Amino acid sequence: MDFIKNQKLQSIRELARFLDKDIIIIHPKIKELEKQGLIELKEGVKNSKIPYLNYDKIEISF
């Protein structure tokens, strides 16, 4: 998530390339983070989705 926050990504595919992971692995994880409300997906060029994190800090307490 820190990577998403600090990089100016243009798509989930670009995120996968930066992380040297297959899009098939990254996409479901990004969708789950979106479902949990931790990231947003903005509309990009040619139906791409841009992962976006609008938080400076996330705290998880048990």
Side-chain angles (χ1 to χ4, degrees), residues 12 25-39 41 49 51:
I12 296 172
I25 294 170
I26 297 296
H27 192 268
K29 293 179 182 199
I30 292 296
K31 292 301 282 183
E32 183 61 30
L33 289 172
E34 179 190 33
K35 181 179 168 184
Q36 297 297 323
L38 297 172
I39 67 169
L41 292 176
K49 303 288 187 218

Side-chain angles (χ1 to χ4, degrees), residues 3 7-21 23 26 48-51:
F3 190 82
Q7 299 297 319
K8 301 295 183 203
L9 300 168
Q10 297 302 310
S11 66
I12 296 172
R13 188 172 302 281
E14 184 179 37
L15 173 62
R17 270 195 302 268
F18 273 112
L19 298 176
D20 197 28
K21 301 287 183 187
I23 187 79
I26 297 296
S48 66
K49 303 288 187 218
I50 302 170

Side-chain angles (χ1 to χ4, degrees), residues 44-58:
V45 193
K46 297 183 182 178
N47 293 326
S48 66
K49 303 288 187 218
I50 302 170
Y52 178 73
L53 181 67
N54 195 25
Y55 301 105
D56 291 325
K57 184 177 179 180
I58 297 174

